[in-house]
């Protein structure tokens, strides 16, 4: 049966009330769509900008039935939702991306197994289903990192293991886990890839991400890598999107290893923090591309008209910089409408735009970025997957 196309005036349902839902809803409104959000809270970043809201749990059948009755097509803004709930929704409305893709991305073992089947390169890994699997990890090699298979993000649910002695001391771990050998990598790269109903695939430019305390701080667009490596990253992202039958947008995070190889770290089948630079450096940004794909509309080329530096505004310290950002030429501020600026909480981001081909060098970045994120090349990036091996 031919997949349904939804014209402007239709209602797009978004599961989740956070900032990604907020920015997706704004993009949908621009194209003439109505947006209905399912959120666990009546007051959230997304509910402030949409036409209507269902308040309820993501696994509550009654809330899901009410939500489905008010939408024409459904998407989601983050992975930590009920796959069973999505399966229920799929009985009533098209869900894009499909619930099966969400189920793969929710479980690191399922994700790595599927990516291995697709044939993309990964860091060496093992499934750890219980204490009996720990002894065999010595053959994987140290240092390594143990990650919970579900619900881990921004560095949460991760345990570094330096050597066999440290491994022997581990107790009461939240099994199942996945063990990954830590990679000596030059940089983290990512690609936002979108695939439409007709099979059209578009990739935004490959970008470089820098983290601190396990949270994304800075994205440089484009990544300062050789053109063939940037194209290889895009090809890998497109390969994954096609193999999964993706409808919508997906972030693909990768490690550029010190030996020059490229390895996929993880996928996120929804708009992604590392794609926020597109909001000011592309005519059609990641959120509009996602909405177009979900609705079945044509996908234009993912062209960058400017270079960009995106940095997140995290916690109360960064919010004190808002007046200065507002007064800065070339800086575009995006706040998420969150009432409380707690430490470690993403409150917004700012994109600083430069002419295409004029992305500042490292020394110029030192004067551009806030003190909190200066000098990341000199110190460990803080990314939990890094283990102190970044350069």
């Amino acid at each position: 049966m031919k997949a349904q196309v939804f014209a402007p005036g239709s209602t797009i349902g978004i599961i989740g009330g956070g900032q990604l839902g907020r920015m997706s809803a704004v993009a949908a409104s621009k194209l003439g769509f109505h947006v209905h959000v399912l959120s666990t809270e009546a007051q959230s970043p997304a509910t402030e900008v949409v036409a209507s809201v269902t308040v309820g749990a993501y696994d509550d059948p009654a809330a899901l039935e009410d939500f489905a009755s008010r939408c024409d097509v459904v998407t989601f803004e983050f992975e930590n939702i009920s796959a069973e709930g999505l399966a229920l929704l799929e009985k009533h409305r098209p869900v894009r991306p499909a619930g099966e893709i969400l189920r793969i991305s929710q479980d690191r073992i399922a994700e790595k197994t599927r990516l291995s089947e697709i044939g993309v390169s990964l860091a060496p890994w093992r499934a750890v289903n219980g204490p009996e699997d720990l002894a065999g990890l010595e053959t994987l090699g140290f240092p390594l990192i143990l990650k919970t298979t579900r619900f881990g993000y921004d560095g949460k649910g991760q345990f570094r293991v330096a050597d066999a002695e440290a491994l022997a001391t581990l107790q009461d771990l939240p099994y199942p886990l996945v063990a990954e050998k830590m990679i000596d990598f030059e940089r983290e790269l990512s690609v936002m890839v979108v695939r439409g109903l007709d099979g059209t695939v578009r990739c935004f430019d490959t970008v470089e991400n820098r983290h601190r305390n396990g949270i994304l701080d800075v994205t440089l667009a484009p990544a300062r890598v050789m053109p063939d490596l940037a194209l290889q990253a895009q090809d890998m992202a497109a390969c994954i999107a096609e193999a999964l039958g993706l409808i919508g947008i997906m972030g693909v995070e990768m490690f550029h290893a010190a030996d020059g190889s490229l390895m996929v770290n993880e996928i996120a089948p929804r708009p992604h923090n590392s794609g926020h630079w597109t909001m000011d450096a592309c005519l059609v940004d990641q959120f509009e591309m996602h909405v177009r794909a979900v609705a079945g509309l044509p996908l234009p080329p993912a062209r960058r008209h400017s270079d960009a530096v995106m940095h997140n505004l995290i916690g109360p310290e960064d919010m004190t910089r808002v007046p200065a950002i507002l007064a800065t030429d070339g800086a575009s501020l995006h706040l998420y409408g969150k009432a409380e600026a707690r430490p470690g909480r993403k409150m917004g981001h700012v994109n600083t735009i430069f002419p295409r081909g004029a992305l500042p060098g490292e020394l110029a970045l030192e004067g551009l970025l806030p003190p909190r994120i200066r000098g990341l090349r000199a110190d460990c990036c803080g990314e939990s997957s890094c283990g102190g091996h970044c350069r």
Side-chain angles (χ1 to χ4, degrees):
M1 185 173 67
K2 187 176 180 180
Q4 189 173 359
V5 174
F6 298 94
S10 303
T11 298
I12 296 175
I14 299 177
I15 302 174
Q19 62 261 24
L20 298 178
R22 178 189 181 101
M23 290 180 279
S24 296
V26 171
S29 176
K30 172 185 171 184
L31 294 177
F33 291 97
H34 306 293
V35 175
H36 186 85
V37 162
L38 174 62
S39 176
T40 56
E41 300 175 348
Q43 297 296 320
S44 66
T47 62
E48 291 185 346
V49 300
V50 299
S52 54
V53 180
T54 295
V55 178
Y58 302 130
D59 58 357
D60 179 357
L64 292 170
E65 293 278 357
D66 177 73
F67 175 66
S69 71
R70 300 169 187 270
C71 306
D72 296 304
V73 62
V74 173
T75 189
F76 46 88
E77 65 132 18
F78 64 103
E79 294 96 326
N80 294 347
I81 60 179
S82 166
E84 293 73 21
L86 276 187
L88 189 154
L89 285 172
E90 285 179 321
K91 296 178 180 179
H92 302 283
R93 296 289 185 269
V95 176
R96 300 170 180 167
E100 178 59 27
I101 297 177
L102 174 68
R103 284 185 280 273
I104 291 170
S105 68
Q106 282 181 325
D107 185 286
R108 285 192 169 98
I109 293 176
E111 180 183 66
K112 291 181 180 298
T113 300
R114 186 70 182 95
L115 291 173
S116 296
E117 293 171 350
I118 292 171
V120 296
S121 297
L122 306 171
W125 68 282
R126 298 276 178 81
V128 182
N129 293 305
E132 66 278 4
D133 293 328
L134 291 177
L137 293 183
E138 291 192 32
T139 59
L140 187 62
F142 297 102
L144 58 83
I145 186 165
L146 293 170
K147 299 179 180 180
T148 54
T149 59
R150 300 175 68 86
F151 304 119
Y153 65 97
D154 286 346
K156 298 179 177 66
Q158 303 187 7
F159 311 89
R160 299 185 189 189
V161 183
D163 49 35
E165 183 178 350
L167 182 65
T169 65
L170 295 177
Q171 296 183 5
D172 300 322
L173 291 170
Y175 300 103
L177 300 162
V178 63
E180 298 176 7
K181 182 174 176 58
M182 287 185 175
I183 300 300
D184 183 8
F185 67 93
E186 292 282 348
R187 57 183 59 83
E188 180 190 286
L189 304 176
S190 64
V191 174
M192 298 304 304
V193 56
V194 61
R195 182 174 179 271
L197 279 180
D198 63 355
T200 297
V201 176
R202 305 293 193 190
C203 290
F204 286 97
D205 286 314
T206 303
V207 299
E208 177 181 346
N209 301 316
R210 301 181 181 182
H211 298 74
R212 192 169 186 84
N213 299 323
I215 302 175
L216 179 64
D217 260 344
V218 178
T219 296
L220 304 179
R224 286 189 290 233
V225 297
M226 296 298 291
D228 59 340
L229 183 68
L231 182 59
Q232 181 187 353
Q234 291 176 312
D235 288 344
M236 290 175 71
C239 175
I240 295 169
E242 291 178 329
L244 294 178
L246 176 75
I247 304 298
I249 202 161
M250 178 172 67
V252 182
E253 296 180 0
M254 309 174 191
F255 293 136
H256 176 210
D259 64 4
S261 62
L262 199 58
M263 303 177 189
V264 174
N265 179 28
E266 61 183 22
I267 61 173
R270 39 85 178 167
H272 194 265
N273 196 168
S274 67
H276 289 354
W277 65 273
T278 64
M279 296 176 75
D280 297 291
C282 300
L283 185 63
V284 177
D285 67 16
Q286 66 160 337
F287 297 102
E288 182 176 335
M289 282 288 202
H290 181 58
V291 169
R292 282 172 175 253
V294 167
L297 302 183
L299 301 181
R303 292 197 183 101
R304 185 186 90 256
H305 58 68
S306 302
D307 291 359
V309 177
M310 187 287 301
H311 68 263
N312 280 324
L313 302 177
I314 300 173
E317 177 189 359
D318 279 2
M319 290 302 288
T320 65
R321 301 188 174 102
V322 166
I325 292 169
L326 288 170
T328 300
D329 185 27
S332 179
L333 178 66
H334 302 267
L335 297 179
Y336 304 151
K338 297 180 180 180
E340 183 182 0
R342 298 192 297 266
R345 192 182 198 193
K346 293 176 182 176
M347 301 300 296
H349 68 273
V350 57
N351 289 329
T352 307
I353 302 303
F354 305 90
R356 186 179 171 93
L359 190 71
E362 292 297 329
L363 291 178
L365 283 177
E366 289 290 323
L368 171 68
L369 303 178
R372 179 175 60 83
I373 51 180
R374 292 181 186 170
L376 290 185
R377 298 294 287 183
D379 303 314
C380 177
C381 65
E383 169 58 35
S384 297
S385 303
C386 166
H389 294 296
C390 59
R391 301 185 175 192

